[in-house]
Amino acid sequence: MTRRPVAWSTPLTYALALAVAAVSIAPVIYVIVGGFRTTPQIIADPAGLPDPWVWDNYVRVLTQSDFWKQAFNSAVIALGTTVGVVVLGVCAAFVLARYTFRGREGLYTFFTLGLLFPSGAAILPLYLMLRDLTLINSYYAVILPQIAFALPLTIVILRPFLSAVPRELEDAAAIDGAGRLGFLWRIMLPLSRPALVTVGVLAFVASWNAFLLPLLVLGDADLHTLPLGVQNFSSQYTSDTAGILAFTSLAMLPALLFFTFAEKQIVGGLQGAVKG
């Protein structure tokens, strides 16, 4: 008796997909729409729609200098982390994919084991090390550890892409006079664009949303990022629920838009990593 293949196009599958999407999107929509309400409206009808729509909450947040200072800090840290992750990840993945040497697979296994190590378990020794290096209360105190924790996943995604490039292309590039670095820059990186975008977006979003590490190493309020700004705003305006929702929605908006616009590239990058 032969088994019938699973029909993934059945209405049940679409219903499950819609349910998962609703569970994921509903909280985001609630936060964004809640920012257009007043706190009395939210208290009277938590699940209702704005009536009328109020823009004052968003205007009040956008006119605060602290918000823009925190947004700048988040952007510097997220962009620094992203650049470091992509550059170092490409270098390490290129060596592990295109060079043959003793212990290569063991080194790759060492990197993959990093996926099993929870970053929260290293917070205390990490703080002590950063303190001894006098990096506390600096961008480097957040950027460098985030790069280290993001490298395992970056290498796991990039290595299959770099390994899949045919050797014939490398031989042809060598005949044309291109060295290893020229081959990497002119051929490997353009062909691996989906993977590069994938690891870049994942690093950016994870850095933008990071809370625990900045909380511990950024004691100076002038260096606080937006996730810390949300906490500070919530503590300062505990009774202003609508304002807190507005601040939260504006804080998560850049990462959300960044992830949405690069969605297709991310899917392609992850598919290539799985096939590799």
Side-chain angles (χ1 to χ4, degrees), residues 77 81 130 135 138-147 207 210 213-214 217-218 225:
I77 292 174
T81 300
L130 293 172
L135 293 177
S138 69
Y139 291 143
Y140 297 109
V142 182
I143 294 175
L144 295 178
Q146 287 184 158
I147 293 175
S207 176
L213 181 60
V217 301
L218 297 179
T225 58

Side-chain angles (χ1 to χ4, degrees), residues 98 164-176 178 183 187-188 191:
R98 310 301 296 192
V165 177
R167 290 288 178 180
E168 291 77 8
L169 288 178
E170 187 173 358
D171 296 336
I175 293 174
D176 291 339
F183 172 68
I187 297 178
M188 298 286 277
L191 292 178

Side-chain angles (χ1 to χ4, degrees), residues 188-249:
M188 298 286 277
L189 295 185
L191 292 178
S192 303
R193 180 183 174 185
L196 296 175
V197 174
T198 298
V199 297
V201 171
L202 293 178
F204 182 90
V205 173
S207 176
W208 188 274
N209 295 329
F211 176 78
L212 181 58
L213 181 60
L215 177 65
L216 292 177
V217 301
L218 297 179
D220 188 353
D222 291 335
L223 296 175
H224 280 185
T225 58
L226 279 177
L228 298 182
V230 172
Q231 182 198 41
N232 296 337
F233 190 89
S234 302
S235 301
Q236 187 175 359
Y237 302 97
T238 54
S239 60
D240 188 4
T241 305
I244 295 173
L245 293 178
F247 197 109
T248 303
S249 62

Side-chain angles (χ1 to χ4, degrees), residues 43-275:
I43 295 175
D45 186 8
L49 293 175
D51 184 25
W53 290 71
V54 179
W55 295 84
D56 292 344
N57 297 318
Y58 286 98
V59 172
R60 181 156 47 90
V61 172
L62 291 174
T63 53
Q64 288 186 355
S65 60
D66 288 344
F67 173 83
W68 294 107
K69 185 185 303 181
Q70 293 158 4
F72 175 79
N73 294 333
S74 292
V76 171
I77 292 174
L79 291 175
T81 300
T82 302
V83 172
V85 167
V86 173
V87 172
L88 296 178
V90 166
C91 293
F94 179 69
V95 172
L96 292 172
R98 310 301 296 192
Y99 286 77
T100 302
F101 55 90
R102 181 179 299 179
R104 183 182 68 168
E105 295 305 320
L107 182 59
Y108 178 68
T109 302
F110 176 76
F111 276 112
T112 57
L113 289 177
L115 296 173
L116 306 177
F117 186 78
S119 59
I123 286 297
L124 179 58
L126 180 61
Y127 176 85
L128 296 177
M129 182 179 65
L130 293 172
R131 185 193 63 184
D132 294 339
L133 295 173
T134 65
L135 293 177
I136 298 297
N137 282 327
S138 69
Y139 291 143
Y140 297 109
V142 182
I143 294 175
L144 295 178
Q146 287 184 158
I147 293 175
F149 285 118
L151 276 179
L153 179 60
T154 301
I155 293 173
V156 168
I157 294 176
L158 289 179
R159 190 194 185 197
F161 273 87
L162 301 180
S163 299
V165 177
R167 290 288 178 180
E168 291 77 8
L169 288 178
E170 187 173 358
D171 296 336
I175 293 174
D176 291 339
R180 291 272 188 167
L181 293 180
F183 172 68
L184 171 65
W185 180 259
R186 298 177 183 177
I187 297 178
M188 298 286 277
L189 295 185
L191 292 178
S192 303
R193 180 183 174 185
L196 296 175
V197 174
T198 298
V199 297
V201 171
L202 293 178
F204 182 90
V205 173
S207 176
W208 188 274
N209 295 329
F211 176 78
L212 181 58
L213 181 60
L215 177 65
L216 292 177
V217 301
L218 297 179
D220 188 353
D222 291 335
L223 296 175
H224 280 185
T225 58
L226 279 177
L228 298 182
V230 172
Q231 182 198 41
N232 296 337
F233 190 89
S234 302
S235 301
Q236 187 175 359
Y237 302 97
T238 54
S239 60
D240 188 4
T241 305
I244 295 173
L245 293 178
F247 197 109
T248 303
S249 62
L250 288 174
M252 69 180 180
L253 189 60
L256 184 64
L257 293 177
F258 196 58
F259 190 88
T260 301
F261 289 142
E263 178 184 0
K264 293 183 179 180
Q265 295 287 341
I266 293 174
V267 173
L270 294 178
Q271 286 177 345
V274 172
K275 290 179 182 178

